[in-house]
Amino acid sequence: MLEVEQAFERIIAHFSPLDTVELPVLECLGLALAEDVTSPLNLPPLANSAMDGYAVLHDDIASADDAAPKLSVISAVVAGQVSDQTVTRGKAIRIMTGAPVPDGADTVVPFEETDELDRRRAGTPLDEIVIRKALPLGSNVRPAGEDVRAGELVLSAGTVIRPAEAGVLASLGLATARVIRRPVVAVLSTGDELTTVGEELAPGHIYDSNSSSVAAAVRAAGGEAKIIGIARDNLDDLHRCIDAASDADLLVTSAGVSKGDYDMVKDVLEQRGDMNFWSVRMRPAKPLAFGLIQREESEPLPLLGLPGNPVSALLAFEMFGRAAVRRMLGRDLLARPTVEGVLTGPIFNSDGRRVYARVEVERRDGTWFATPTGPQGSNILTSLSKANGLAICPADLPRKNAGQAVKIIMLDWNEEVNA
Ligand code: AMP
Ligand code: MG
């Protein structure tokens, strides 16, 4: 039997970041920059006002607390304009937020610190303004290049594009970015008992749920899922389906990899490449296959063979497939985050494997609590649907009891209950 970590290392060694593409910024969401981005411009490009007010010379207002100087207002400037006038001693220009600060001015006095409102109420013209408060030099002026200087490194290679980065790129005038491309992951179910969703369920059949759950997990991990469909348990069909996956970066199959199984899948895979069939010391998802399928005029195609049971398939993808996708995306962190919590119900371990129990994780009074979500059979997919975490019982412990500390892999963070 292989430890989970050994299987992980053997699989992940075959993956590295993929080649790069230039994409519109919105399509880069979740992808890693392939190169450093330096700024072609100053941000902001010109010094501009942080407030609505009056652009003045600091020397004119330094004594405003006592003297209340009166300045003549020579013009106004709004955002999007550049004033062609210069502020000199005794003069001011009315300025709106975001407007470039006119030449000569070094300070902006907000409306509230002037007599503008009184003038408006009294109907007094605004060609003069009284400054009522002395402000420090440079107040309310955002200097050119305050955020970013031309030539500065703004985003380094490897940075993952989130909404803020999309905005930063746009603010530099960049509509596209060069990123590591999404891996294409072909998803193939195998089994004579499977019916494609949307078709009538044949007698003795079950719906193929692994194609949907694994493809969704591929997409959630940042990959592009290509659903191949169902390969029947015969040689020709399996060969045909593997051929259909030949342009993918990874082929993920489910079922037909366990010992004592109808081992057609094994035969075909072994014929087509260099395959390993493992028993991994974990529950669920003990049987696992990994190897390289030969293809013409191209590097071999990595194949991850998941067990067939729906919980095992998805959990094995979570542990191994998701990490492979992330590595191909150029991510450094391959595993889900974990927290230390307290169990509220027992986890049983019948045969010395590491148990990943489906739990609902909640944070109460600063402590994480993990509650098993029900029957833990590897066919009970609804108990995975109710879970937002996997609580771990180590291989050498026969059980973990309520009240005991437990390590939990967070599948997602339930924002409602973690408030
Ligand atoms: P196998 O590895 O072929 O023995 O499959 C193990 C179990 O998983 C069997 O009960 C299968 O019917 C079930 N199973 C296999 N593939 C799928 C699938 N794509 N969707 C739902 N259940 C499946
Ligand atoms: Mg089968």
Side-chain angles (χ1 to χ4, degrees):
M1 259 215 253
L2 217 54
E3 301 304 330
V4 174
E5 288 71 21
Q6 290 174 308
F8 185 92
E9 290 307 324
R10 290 185 193 184
I11 291 169
I12 213 67
H14 290 276
F15 295 91
S16 46
L18 297 177
D19 43 321
T20 69
V21 276
E22 178 114 10
L23 291 176
V25 165
L26 263 188
E27 285 172 40
C28 297
L29 196 65
L31 299 180
L33 280 176
E35 55 194 16
D36 291 346
V37 174
T38 53
S39 180
L41 42 78
N42 279 319
L43 212 64
L46 300 172
N48 67 84
S49 179
M51 298 286 276
D52 293 343
Y54 289 87
V56 299
L57 278 166
H58 182 254
D59 284 349
D60 277 341
I61 64 147
S63 61
D65 288 345
D66 310 317
K70 187 186 279 181
L71 305 176
S72 72
V73 180
I74 55 173
S75 62
V77 59
V78 300
Q81 291 181 338
V82 179
S83 176
D84 56 4
Q85 306 212 21
T86 300
V87 174
T88 53
R89 288 301 301 254
K91 297 194 169 133
I93 290 178
R94 194 163 184 274
I95 190 166
M96 305 303 286
T97 304
V101 174
D103 286 348
D106 54 22
T107 302
V108 171
V109 181
F111 290 150
E112 297 76 18
E113 313 298 353
T114 72
D115 67 346
E116 178 174 315
L117 198 59
D118 296 342
R119 283 172 179 267
R120 285 187 185 282
R121 285 200 187 114
T124 315
L126 283 170
D127 58 346
E128 289 181 320
I129 200 79
V130 172
I131 308 294
R132 290 177 169 160
K133 189 173 182 197
L135 298 173
L137 175 66
S139 291
N140 303 308
V141 174
R142 303 165 174 158
E146 182 185 31
D147 189 358
V148 174
R149 294 194 169 277
E152 183 182 325
L153 172 67
V154 185
L155 299 171
S156 48
T159 302
V160 175
I161 305 300
R162 304 170 307 160
E165 284 72 26
V168 167
L169 290 166
S171 69
L172 303 180
L174 302 174
T176 63
R178 182 156 285 279
V179 288
I180 298 174
R181 72 174 174 85
R182 285 183 200 284
V184 175
V185 180
V187 178
L188 174 63
S189 290
T190 68
D192 281 341
E193 78 280 28
L194 302 176
T195 291
T196 301
V197 180
E199 292 176 7
E200 198 180 329
L201 195 62
H205 274 222
I206 55 171
Y207 281 118
D208 166 20
S209 62
N210 290 349
S211 286
S212 296
S213 60
V214 173
V218 166
R219 219 184 255 190
E224 190 184 309
K226 176 178 174 178
I227 293 183
I228 305 290
I230 300 166
R232 299 304 172 192
D233 290 322
N234 66 70
L235 292 172
D236 286 350
D237 209 34
L238 207 46
H239 281 300
R240 177 185 65 79
C241 287
I242 293 172
D243 289 341
S246 65
D247 57 353
D249 299 297
L250 167 65
L251 168 58
V252 179
T253 66
S254 63
V257 294
S258 50
K259 273 210 189 75
D261 208 6
Y262 181 56
D263 48 12
M264 225 249 341
V265 175
K266 284 187 185 175
D267 283 352
V268 172
L269 296 185
E270 263 164 355
Q271 270 176 36
R272 299 197 56 150
D274 180 11
M275 288 300 302
N276 305 285
F277 295 87
W278 297 320
S279 287
V280 185
R281 197 186 303 282
M282 64 190 288
R283 175 190 289 275
K286 180 167 82 166
L288 190 75
F290 182 78
L292 301 174
I293 299 289
Q294 297 307 322
R295 51 183 165 183
E296 280 168 27
E297 293 167 19
S298 167
E299 295 285 296
L301 167 66
L303 184 147
L304 178 64
L306 309 172
N309 273 305
V311 176
S312 310
L314 196 47
L315 200 127
F317 183 83
E318 263 298 323
M319 305 295 294
F320 307 109
R322 180 177 177 274
V325 168
R326 288 176 70 84
R327 169 63 49 92
M328 288 190 276
L329 284 166
R331 297 296 190 96
D332 296 329
L333 283 175
L334 302 182
R336 295 270 190 194
T338 60
V339 297
E340 295 291 328
V342 177
L343 268 180
T344 67
I347 305 175
F348 300 98
N349 187 358
S350 54
D351 61 355
R353 290 188 263 157
R354 184 187 298 161
V355 178
Y356 294 89
R358 286 146 256 170
V359 292
E360 189 184 350
V361 189
E362 288 174 292
R363 192 169 167 84
R364 291 196 297 270
D365 299 330
T367 302
W368 297 99
F369 289 95
T371 305
T373 56
Q376 298 282 321
S378 58
N379 55 327
I380 312 287
L381 194 51
T382 52
S383 60
L384 187 52
S385 166
K386 289 175 189 137
N388 62 337
L390 298 168
I392 297 173
C393 178
D396 56 4
L397 273 189
R399 63 182 279 167
K400 264 207 181 241
N401 295 314
Q404 283 192 300
V406 71
K407 183 173 170 178
I408 308 159
I409 298 174
M410 294 301 288
L411 296 176
D412 56 56
W413 303 85
N414 187 336
E415 292 171 30
E416 286 74 27
V417 297
N418 292 341

